[in-house]
């Protein structure tokens, strides 16, 4: 399993300044086949400055969810740190 990209990322309006909600489509490679699934994720900045990621995959995936969620969280935090998320 490999995460290729998250496309069509849309930021949702939230009145709480330390929470940012997004939705998008994750493109991943499973068993040498590219698939797309809709995801929703939230980045919350804690008082210590650490970022906590919560996410959900809306469509079913034929892959164990625990490693998929872990890989997606790493991908999202790297995307956020590099400035790849909409402001």
């Amino acid at each position: 399993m490999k995460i290729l990209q998250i496309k069509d990322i849309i930021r949702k309006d939230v009145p709480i300044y330390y929470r940012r909600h997004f939705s998008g489509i994750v493109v991943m490679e499973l068993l040498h086949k590219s698939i797309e699934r809709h995801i929703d994720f939230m980045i919350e900045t804690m008082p210590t400055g650490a970022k906590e990621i919560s996410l959900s995959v809306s469509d079913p995936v034929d892959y164990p969810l625990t490693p998929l969620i872990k890989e997606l969280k790493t991908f999202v935090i790297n995307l956020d740190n590099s400035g790849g998320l909409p402001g």
Side-chain angles (χ1 to χ4, degrees):
M1 190 266 314
K2 182 179 178 183
I3 307 295
L4 302 175
Q5 70 172 338
I6 300 177
K7 64 181 186 176
D8 300 334
I9 300 173
I10 298 171
R11 183 173 179 176
K12 300 177 183 179
D13 289 332
V14 178
I16 302 172
Y17 71 93
Y18 55 88
R19 286 186 184 166
R20 296 178 291 151
H21 288 260
F22 300 92
S23 65
I25 299 172
V26 63
V27 180
M28 60 187 126
E29 184 179 307
L30 292 176
L31 303 172
H32 306 290
K33 186 172 74 171
S34 179
I35 63 169
E36 296 182 359
R37 296 293 185 258
H38 181 76
I39 62 168
D40 293 308
F41 58 96
M42 179 185 69
I43 303 173
E44 182 173 351
T45 305
M46 306 306 276
T48 59
K51 294 179 181 175
E52 186 175 304
I53 310 290
S54 304
L55 60 89
S56 64
V57 181
S58 301
D59 305 322
V61 180
D62 287 339
Y63 195 81
L65 282 181
T66 303
L68 175 63
I69 297 294
K70 182 180 176 186
E71 195 70 30
L72 276 170
K73 285 182 178 183
T74 303
F75 191 87
V76 165
I77 202 71
N78 289 337
L79 193 62
D80 185 42
N81 290 339
S82 67
L85 295 175

